[in-house]
Amino acid sequence: MKPIQLFDTASSTYTYVAFDPVTRDAIIIDPVDTQLERDLQVLREHRLKLVWALETHAHADHITSAGQLAELAGAKTAAPAGCGISTASVQLNDGDTLAFGNEQVRALHTPGHTAGSMCFVWRDQVFTGDTLLINGCGRTDFQSGSAEAMYHSLTQVLFKLPDATTVWPGHDYQGKTRSTIGQEKASNARVAGKTQEEFVAIMAALHLPPPKRIDEAVPANLQSGLRHDAHLSNSLRVQPADGYAGDVSGVLAWEWVQSGEAVLVDVRSDAERAWVGFVPDAPAVAWKQWPGMASNPNFDAELQAAVPAGKKVVLLCRSGVRSIAAAKRATELGLQAYNILEGFEGDPDSNAQRGHQGGWRFHGLPWRQG
Ligand SMILES: N[C@@H](CCC(=O)N[C@@H](CS)C(=O)NCC(=O)O)C(=O)O
Ligand SMILES: [Fe+2]
């Protein structure tokens, strides 16, 4: 029993469909958005019912169709828990299994290409994503990659599988289609017979150009590919506002924070951040008055201390109401202040009505559990 192997020439990506021959329940691994029609046709031709659309990691070189497949084919999406793909309905941890009919795949956490990357074992075969490639391996120079972690994942996780295990890679750039664990253990140019130090040196010397579509692909893939262009341009626009510089989406606010243009100030209370979650490294300055919460008489001074001269301030609250009041006050204090639309917890439904503007968590932006 082999999977159906499909190839996208633009990104040299392999997509796989595996299925239970009796029940016809199927999974698809690493589907590509531009191949949606092809993949739906393959499902129809083989009379398959898609139950899972799976990702090995958040791709940097193409956009996934997992979200669209979920809508069009009724599948559920699953992705590695460590990849920040907040829209996936199942977040996979090491050792988790997903059933399709009487078949199952088992997730192996194999960090290295990205910190969250996973491989999926099915019967006597393994889908290795961008961890193990044929006579190669995924690059480790961006997106939380680590050559040390990759060495461990290759030698201590994948190479512990039986030698006869078939390897189905996530890409091949030379037209090769499959390998085995035994073959890669014996002859993979990057890792076979190499010490960790030698491997790390090889990876450091690759100097590959960044994938052409990385800036567009990663944010889209953090939402299972559901962020369309219109939505993207909408979410990257400043909307002028009365009494402060403007309204911005979480996506744009976070771009400004990362580029050093702006400081993100969280105006929720300590208790809210502790219950719901917080944005790492964002200064917290509770808004001065809010019904049912302790008032903060030091708001003005704390806000001014949090924002260095010359920087914008983007203000975040739970739903985007307090942050408007805070942005107005910040403007009175002489700051260039923006409100983050729909705050930390903008939900997909309200976003749909408003044209997908905001919502920190909905956009898959970085945050931690309180
Ligand atoms: N040239 C390709 C990027 C190729 C690339 O960086 N591929 C990644 C996988 S997303 C990789 O790990 N390549 C390993 C290698 O080339 O050795 C593009 O612009 O999209
Ligand atoms: Fe990749």
Side-chain angles (χ1 to χ4, degrees):
M1 187 76 202
K2 299 278 175 254
I4 300 167
Q5 185 180 44
L6 301 156
F7 190 63
D8 173 56
T9 44
S11 62
S12 300
T13 299
Y14 281 123
T15 295
Y16 297 93
V17 174
F19 60 93
D20 178 328
V22 179
T23 68
R24 316 298 295 173
D25 288 306
I27 59 171
I28 193 163
I29 298 175
D30 290 339
V32 176
D33 67 345
T34 52
Q35 302 291 351
L36 181 65
E37 283 309 319
R38 174 202 67 187
D39 297 347
L40 290 169
Q41 183 61 26
V42 166
L43 295 171
R44 278 192 297 268
E45 271 169 18
H46 290 81
R47 291 174 291 104
L48 301 177
K49 179 182 176 341
L50 191 67
V51 291
W52 293 108
L54 265 165
E55 306 289 355
T56 55
H57 61 292
H59 306 278
D61 60 336
H62 67 269
I63 296 176
T64 178
S65 65
Q68 293 187 76
L69 284 169
E71 282 178 28
L72 296 170
K76 284 212 271 184
T77 50
C83 286
I85 303 173
S86 57
T87 42
S89 40
V90 170
Q91 299 286 331
L92 295 165
N93 291 299
D94 187 49
D96 284 355
T97 57
L98 286 178
F100 51 111
N102 299 311
E103 302 284 328
Q104 61 171 39
V105 284
R106 181 165 49 93
L108 297 180
H109 182 213
T110 50
H113 179 56
T114 71
S117 288
M118 284 186 158
C119 298
F120 300 112
V121 178
W122 177 50
R123 297 185 172 205
D124 55 352
Q125 308 170 50
V126 60
F127 302 98
T128 55
D130 296 356
T131 304
L132 178 59
L133 303 178
I134 301 172
N135 199 29
C137 63
R139 63 196 291 171
T140 54
D141 57 338
F142 57 63
Q143 263 197 304
S144 67
S146 155
E148 288 81 4
M150 177 63 91
Y151 186 80
H152 184 268
S153 294
L154 293 171
T155 60
Q156 303 304 310
V157 182
L158 290 175
F159 289 175
K160 300 288 176 193
L161 295 169
D163 281 356
T165 308
T166 304
V167 170
W168 298 106
H171 293 285
D172 193 89
Y173 301 99
Q174 278 108 38
K176 297 189 288 304
T177 57
R178 71 165 90 161
S179 183
T180 63
I181 290 294
Q183 191 176 319
E184 294 309 315
K185 229 195 292 195
S187 63
N188 186 294
R190 289 195 187 156
V191 67
K194 301 283 194 289
T195 64
Q196 176 166 315
E197 290 65 35
E198 289 166 338
F199 177 79
V200 169
I202 289 169
M203 295 310 286
L206 288 180
H207 301 302
L208 298 167
K212 290 185 273 307
R213 298 183 65 193
I214 186 167
D215 292 338
E216 157 198 30
V218 173
N221 287 328
L222 293 177
Q223 286 180 66
S224 306
L226 286 174
R227 200 165 94 181
H228 301 300
D229 292 349
H231 168 197
L232 184 70
S233 59
N234 224 3
S235 71
L236 292 177
R237 205 177 301 140
V238 177
Q239 294 166 40
D242 262 353
Y244 55 100
D247 293 310
V248 295
S249 63
V251 172
L252 181 56
W254 187 243
E255 285 209 355
W256 286 352
V257 171
Q258 281 180 307
S259 69
E261 259 175 86
V263 174
L264 186 150
V265 172
D266 190 333
V267 299
R268 295 173 302 157
S269 66
D270 293 345
E272 287 175 283
R273 288 193 315 281
W275 292 326
V276 188
F278 59 93
V279 181
D281 302 325
V285 182
W287 175 235
K288 53 167 107 182
Q289 273 165 341
W290 192 245
M293 287 178 192
S295 66
N296 175 11
N298 301 321
F299 178 83
D300 292 0
E302 289 177 16
L303 182 65
Q304 281 169 314
V307 185
K311 287 211 183 195
K312 299 168 181 163
V313 60
V314 286
L315 295 143
L316 180 74
C317 68
R318 188 187 69 79
S319 68
V321 176
R322 267 169 293 172
S323 51
I324 292 177
K328 287 182 176 165
R329 181 62 193 151
T331 306
E332 288 168 5
L333 295 171
L335 296 169
Q336 193 186 351
Y338 296 82
N339 160 53
I340 297 180
L341 286 164
E342 296 173 40
F344 193 74
E345 292 197 83
D347 71 279
D349 290 339
S350 78
N351 278 318
Q353 280 157 20
R354 297 187 211 180
H356 294 285
Q357 295 292 350
W360 193 265
R361 289 211 286 192
F362 173 59
H363 271 300
L365 292 160
W367 64 280
R368 288 200 215 116
Q369 212 96 49

